[in-house]
Amino acid sequence: MSPADLRGRRARSVLAPGGGRTSAMHGAAPRGVVGLAAAFLASGTLHLVRPELFEPIVPRFLPAPRELVLASGVAELVCGAGLLHPRTRPVAGAASAALLVAVFPANVQMSLSHGRRAARTRQPAHGLAFAATVARLPLQWPLVRVALRAARAQDGAQPPARRAQAAG
């Protein structure tokens, strides 16, 4: 295929199922994947720019909180970027699911810390923060499901025209 053919394929867009538009070169990301990628990119950036915000939620039994926060920030950036490209989406989806499971103890630690502070201070704002962190815990699992859906995505293996040729 010549470079001109590739440019033409990249420039065209087609209607996707459901009426949305997608490029003729690559299929659309599975539902929720772009949002998960955006969340990872934002959170990963925040981990690197303001690591002190995340150090208190590193479970106490783990060593080197600053290094773990920085490493998880880099991992979130890599996963977020990988989810956005069809060719890397399956690997990034599996890595994202693993990362979400790996950081779950930090989310539990955050809830415990907020709960202790709310009980100690009895301030309504601290009680609300505690309630929000507890409510957030079960929301981690739908994110894992989105990541696993990305891991199963086959749209990155080859462009749709090649898939159609291979099937036909």
Side-chain angles (χ1 to χ4, degrees):
M1 184 172 295
S2 75
D5 291 336
L6 283 174
R7 277 193 303 274
R9 293 183 98 200
R10 238 182 257 127
R12 281 185 308 208
S13 65
V14 294
L15 279 178
R21 296 192 80 76
T22 183
S23 76
M25 185 114 171
H26 300 297
R31 191 177 77 242
V33 171
V34 173
L36 179 59
F40 271 142
L41 293 170
S43 179
T45 300
L46 193 56
H47 276 69
L48 298 180
V49 173
R50 301 278 313 270
E52 67 276 4
L53 295 176
F54 298 93
E55 289 173 17
I57 68 170
V58 174
R60 290 179 175 84
F61 63 87
L62 293 174
R66 170 69 55 117
E67 290 78 8
L68 288 172
V69 167
L70 295 173
S72 66
V74 170
E76 287 181 349
L77 290 172
V78 169
C79 287
L83 287 169
L84 293 175
H85 195 281
R87 294 225 172 159
T88 55
R89 191 171 294 137
V91 171
S96 297
L99 179 61
L100 287 164
V101 171
V103 300
F104 189 73
N107 295 336
V108 171
Q109 181 64 50
M110 182 171 47
S111 289
L112 292 172
S113 296
H114 280 286
R116 282 191 215 104
R117 183 174 61 176
R120 187 178 67 251
T121 66
R122 303 254 187 236
Q123 292 183 11
H126 293 161
L128 285 173
F130 171 59
T133 62
V134 170
R136 178 178 182 243
L137 292 174
L139 298 178
Q140 193 90 357
W141 305 116
L143 296 177
V144 171
R145 287 182 42 218
V146 169
L148 292 174
R149 199 170 25 245
R152 290 189 301 270
Q154 295 299 313
D155 62 349
Q158 51 186 322
R162 291 235 178 113
R163 283 198 304 269
Q165 289 171 354

